[in-house]
Amino acid sequence: MHDQTMTFSVKDDKEKEMKKTLMIIYDALREKGYNPINQIVGYILSEDPTYITTYNNARSLIRHIDRDELLQALVKSYIQY
């Protein structure tokens, strides 16, 4: 039992938290009748927070996500599958 080494990765945890946050934003946009993909892409390209609804605090949440890190995670996810 003790010969297995557990690994800890802050980066993995950060990506999981980013995904969780992005899903909350996605759901808020969908619930308000927006196309979540188009709105999130608009935000990523322009960094204009008005692409994101204030519903469920989504606009505030998106500001806590670093766009460069988000783009890296998205490309990494797309390439790996």
Side-chain angles (χ1 to χ4, degrees):
M1 291 277 184
H2 294 293
D3 49 358
Q4 290 184 341
T5 302
M6 295 295 292
T7 58
F8 176 77
S9 173
V10 173
K11 188 171 186 170
D12 288 343
D13 287 346
K14 193 168 190 173
E15 285 184 10
K16 286 178 186 175
E17 186 63 29
M18 190 168 29
K19 181 177 181 176
K20 180 181 171 186
T21 302
L22 198 57
M23 292 307 300
I24 293 168
I25 295 163
Y26 179 94
D27 289 342
L29 287 164
R30 188 177 42 78
E31 287 175 28
K32 292 306 280 182
Y34 295 103
N35 179 321
I37 301 299
N38 289 347
Q39 297 305 113
I40 292 169
V41 168
Y43 170 76
I44 291 170
L45 293 175
S46 69
E47 202 172 2
D48 181 354
T50 61
Y51 277 97
I52 307 301
T53 182
T54 57
Y55 180 70
N56 280 352
N57 208 30
R59 189 175 295 167
S60 177
L61 291 172
I62 196 82
R63 292 179 176 173
H64 294 288
I65 296 176
D66 181 273
R67 286 186 323 141
D68 291 338
E69 289 178 5
L70 176 58
L71 284 169
Q72 287 176 7
L74 292 170
V75 170
K76 178 180 164 187
S77 174
Y78 189 81
I79 299 282
Q80 288 180 349
Y81 296 103

